[in-house]
Amino acid sequence: MTTHPTVGEIVAITTTNSNPLLLVRTVGDEHINGVLLADLATETLHRLRASEYDTPTRRQQGQAIGRTDELMSFTVPLPDCVLVERDSSRPGPFAGGDD
């Protein structure tokens, strides 16, 4: 059984030409909701890069970003996403692609 991305992971949307990157805020049975990395402040991006292999910290950051109303969020079907960064505690691919 494949698994879904988790809060704090980064996915690309494969149904657009530019494959924009999203930080996952919430995960449902068939969709993820996320914010564009391009919309995040430079300091936030530095914190995300520093926490790439620190799954609990990355999840906390994803949840904190998810609580803000200042950023536009996008809801995307799982099959339209591909994982860019792997949650360090899960070695297998999720539905929608692999690394």
Side-chain angles (χ1 to χ4, degrees):
M1 177 179 174
T2 57
T3 59
H4 299 330
T6 61
V7 172
E9 288 185 307
I10 296 173
V11 298
I13 302 172
T14 59
T15 54
T16 64
N17 289 335
S18 61
N19 292 339
L21 300 180
L22 292 178
L23 176 68
V24 177
R25 293 173 21 149
T26 62
V27 180
D29 290 336
E30 298 178 15
H31 296 84
I32 63 109
N33 179 277
V35 296
L36 290 173
L37 287 189
D39 289 346
L40 298 178
T42 302
E43 180 59 32
T44 302
L45 292 173
H46 288 301
R47 286 193 305 261
L48 287 172
R49 282 189 199 106
S51 67
E52 183 174 353
Y53 298 106
D54 182 355
T55 301
T57 298
R58 177 60 72 88
R59 284 192 183 135
Q60 288 175 344
Q61 292 172 341
Q63 290 167 342
I65 291 168
R67 287 189 294 269
T68 183
D69 292 331
E70 298 172 12
L71 298 170
M72 182 182 298
S73 63
F74 297 88
T75 300
V76 182
L78 282 168
D80 295 349
C81 299
V82 64
L83 191 62
V84 174
E85 287 184 6
R86 166 101 20 237
D87 175 333
S88 61
S89 66
R90 293 187 301 112
F94 71 97
D98 45 37
D99 15 81

